[in-house]
Amino acid sequence: MTYTSSVRAAGSQVWVALGDTGGVYAEAAEALRAETDRSAGARVEWRIAPYAQFRAADPAPRAAVAIGSSALRGLLDLYPEGPPFPVLALLVPRLAYERMHEGANRGGMLSAIYLDQPPARQIELIRQVLPGVRRIGALTGADSRLAVPGLERATSERGIQFLHAQVGDAGLFPALQQLLGESDVLLALADTSVFNSQTVAGILTAAYRRQIPLIGFSPAYVKAGALAAVYSTPAQIGLRGGELLRLVLTGQRLPPPQWPREFSVSVNSNVARSFGLTLDEGRLTEQLRQKERGQ
Amino acid sequence: MKQALRLRMLLAALLPVALVAVTLTFVFLHSHLSELEAALNGRGRAIARQLATAAEFAIFSGSEDAMRRLAEGALTGDGDLRGAAIVDDSDHVLARAGAIHPESWRPGAKAPRGLLVISEDVRRSVTPVDDIYGGGIGAAPAAPPKLVGRVVVEISEANLVARRDQLLAWGAAVALLGVVLGGWLAVGIARGIATPVLAITDAVERIGNGETGARVELRRKTPLDSLVHGINAMAERVGLTQEELRLKISEATAELLMEKETAEHATAAKSRFLAAASHDLRQPMHALGLFVSSLAQSSAAKSEAHLVVQIQSAVTALQEMLDALLDISRLDGGTVIPRINSFSLRTVLDRMATEMMPLAEARGQRLRVRRTGLWATSDRQMIERILQNLIGNALNHTAPGGQVLLACRRREGAVLIEVWDTGAGIPDGARQEIFEEYVQLNNPERDRAKGLGLGLAICRRLAELLGHPIGVRSRVGRGSVFWIELPQAGEPPLPLSPTTMLQAKLDGLILVVEDDPLVADGMQQVIGGWGGRVVLARSRAEALALCDGDETPALLLCDLTLAGGDSGIALANELRALHGPLEVLLVSADVSQEAQVAARQAGFALLKKPVPVGRLRAALQHLLK
């Protein structure tokens, strides 16, 4: 899958390694290419393919974009000494990225736009949705535990208590029961050991019975019964990726890894109604943006 | 046959009805029961599914209390539900409610009788959140729902069974009702068809047996009315035709009968006339014989002896002719019954010779008898009568100096008695004719001395009566041979010794009862001439009175019928009862079989009038011996 743009400059080949052939990756890749092609002055020779098709023996590109954790892992694994070209990771959770690279920038040669949202944005959403909230609870697993300090910081800045319960050997439910008994709202954190397709229904049901809303982290959660979620779409991330890639193509260094700049808010209006709330996705998004600009 | 037809009709009508009724009932019952069962099953499944859905969170939350409440909640409001339980994925019971049999939860275990065990898996519901945000790879297919436990529901089939029994009872009742109704209809139909069919069959059978008046009679209207009318019309037509035929036949028969009666009447009248005439002639003939006999014994006869002999000859001829006439009339009257016996032909021929010899000698003819040792079976008297006639006939047709031969010979187990003569012979054409009455060849002038012409006719009648062939062979100018064929007798029985008649004087008083003074006179003179003593009585009363006298008569001589209609036999019996032993000799002009039988049954001798004087004397001598 090789795209060649009309503006072709020598040595301006860009690899786009896809984590999978799934729609979200292609969507991000398409947004990336569109943004790059729109603004770059030079021709870019695109090589967009599943990461497994790329070989170390292939002529090194001008830059590479890894979309998805597996693509990043695959690309990094091609070069034990590190890729000899700048690599930008997209759609990678912060935790996963940090685990792979210990958070280093490698001299502007490696960077990422995280998939997850900054804690402040999530807490701010909760404040927008539920203005009177005092205590925010979160179930944590082995992975998501690492997100706790950031969240605690974000809540304490806003005078909100952050409670978290670790899911242990006794199972999920006791921790959930405990948390539900103390929290005003439950914040779901991306951690497959806690939140997965098998557990979400139970968690939502339990929360609902306690009349405690759940704030998710993806549109799927909103659809499943979460009150609201803030997230960045692949297109939004791809577009931001295009902006960063343009820097590389113009000879600049990659900026450090960063949270996605653009985001969306989804609201489950049925759930909102059952909690006596009237929420508007567009307004919430706008309020959050203004809030972030104002900071 | 009637029963079979009715039964068949009944079956033909009832069987489909019964089949339909039973089949419909069965089908409806079956479908209804299946529905009931399916409904119960569906209800159980729905309850189980509902419970399973509700139990998912309870299992997730691990709240046994909630599970128990769920199970109990499922139990309420459904009478058929016996128990409900929630078990985890390793079949460990989490909660149970009601009476429930744990052994029936095991997969493959047979549910106890009368119980419906429904097990529904509880699976954790899958929410598709494992996208890239959730840490997944996005398009990966969602993991299959995880089995977290099972819900087991036990439903009692007791109500179902009760309902089924009730339905079965109702179904049976409905089927029975259907069959009964159908049967009633069927009987009606069967009767509607069978009754007219049977009536038709019966009528046709009766018509077939000749009862043309038979009709199919039905009281009610039936589907076969047109057939019934058709058959009735046909029967009527046949009946009319047959009635016409019968009428014609009976008319013809009546006519024939009338003609036959007329003819018979004429014949009978003739016979009666003949019998009466000859009977009436007997009485004077009898007297005449007695007088002539008396005359011959008297002294007056000595001077005109030849005259007396001529008178006697004439009287004898008269008696013979009368006998012949009587014989004919008796034979025609059908009153003669042959008495068949075996007898010696030699005796018969000898008797004939003795009897006929004087006549032959008187005419200057020779009568020869060839001796024979043969026996025959027949009525001896009739045979003698035949021979008398044949011999008489032969003598009549033989010229003086000629000869007549009497001989027997065997022919194929039979005996031929032949009478040969040396007469003129009989022409071929006349041989059958001569056996007819009053036919006399060579006697156009009908000379009475040559007989009446009844001899051969009598012979033929007697031979016919006895069943013996009789015939003649002849050569004109040389003579004729008349023959009669008799069955030959096998074992010759001992010949009876002829009673020797003694010409002795009669001894004993003889009572003669006779109302005819002429005959009475004659009797007295003749018997007196034989030395007998006679007392005369005219009637029964006189006879009884006479016997009261000093001397009781030794012999009663009377007619079968006395003056005033009294019976001679009765009188004889009366006298015997009053005065002891008494010999009886009956005489009668009544030559009927009945008269002879009556005399024989009474044990009395009977002589027929006119009694030949010799026979009278022999009888008297025999009885008074």
Side-chain angles (χ1 to χ4, degrees), chain A residues 20 24-25 91 115 172-173 190 192 196-203 205-206 209 217-221 224 231-234, chain B residues 54 56-58 60-63 66 124-139 142-146:
Chain A
D20 210 326
V24 288
Y25 302 97
L91 303 189
L115 176 63
L172 186 147
F173 198 73
T192 50
N196 55 49
S197 59
Q198 307 276 345
T199 57
V200 164
I203 293 169
T205 309
R209 291 195 175 170
F217 51 82
S218 72
Y221 273 79
Y231 55 91
S232 298
T233 65
Chain B
E56 183 201 339
F57 178 72
F60 168 77
S61 66
S63 165
R124 190 161 285 169
S125 50
V126 173
T127 317
V129 292
D130 292 340
D131 52 11
I132 52 164
Y133 301 103
I137 54 166
K146 189 187 169 211

Side-chain angles (χ1 to χ4, degrees), chain A residues 173-195:
Chain A
F173 198 73
L176 179 63
Q177 283 292 93
Q178 184 208 335
L179 201 60
L180 289 172
E182 298 164 350
S183 311
D184 298 328
V185 64
L186 202 61
L187 175 64
L189 300 178
D191 185 335
T192 50
S193 66
V194 178
F195 289 94

Side-chain angles (χ1 to χ4, degrees), chain B residues 65-81:
Chain B
D65 193 43
M67 284 188 266
R68 195 174 55 254
R69 270 188 278 113
L70 277 175
E72 280 165 0
L75 231 56
T76 56
D78 194 317
D80 289 333
L81 212 61

Side-chain angles (χ1 to χ4, degrees), chain B residues 334-349:
Chain B
T335 55
V336 179
I337 295 168
R339 281 184 292 175
I340 306 298
N341 271 313
S342 292
F343 52 88
S344 163
L345 288 172
R346 179 180 163 186
T347 321
V348 170
L349 296 194

Side-chain angles (χ1 to χ4, degrees), chain B residues 341-356 367 369-388 391 406-408 415 417 419 484 486 495-496:
Chain B
N341 271 313
S342 292
F343 52 88
S344 163
L345 288 172
R346 179 180 163 186
T347 321
V348 170
L349 296 194
D350 283 351
R351 265 183 63 113
M352 287 300 107
T354 315
E355 202 168 293
M356 304 304 282
L367 173 62
V369 174
R370 191 177 291 163
R371 295 183 73 92
T372 177
L374 293 172
W375 286 62
T377 304
S378 188
D379 184 312
R380 180 176 165 165
Q381 285 186 337
M382 288 188 184
I383 293 300
E384 284 180 359
R385 191 88 187 89
I386 290 169
L387 290 177
Q388 273 174 2
I391 295 166
L406 197 52
C408 291
V415 184
I417 306 176
V419 179
I484 179 163
L486 276 62
L496 294 166

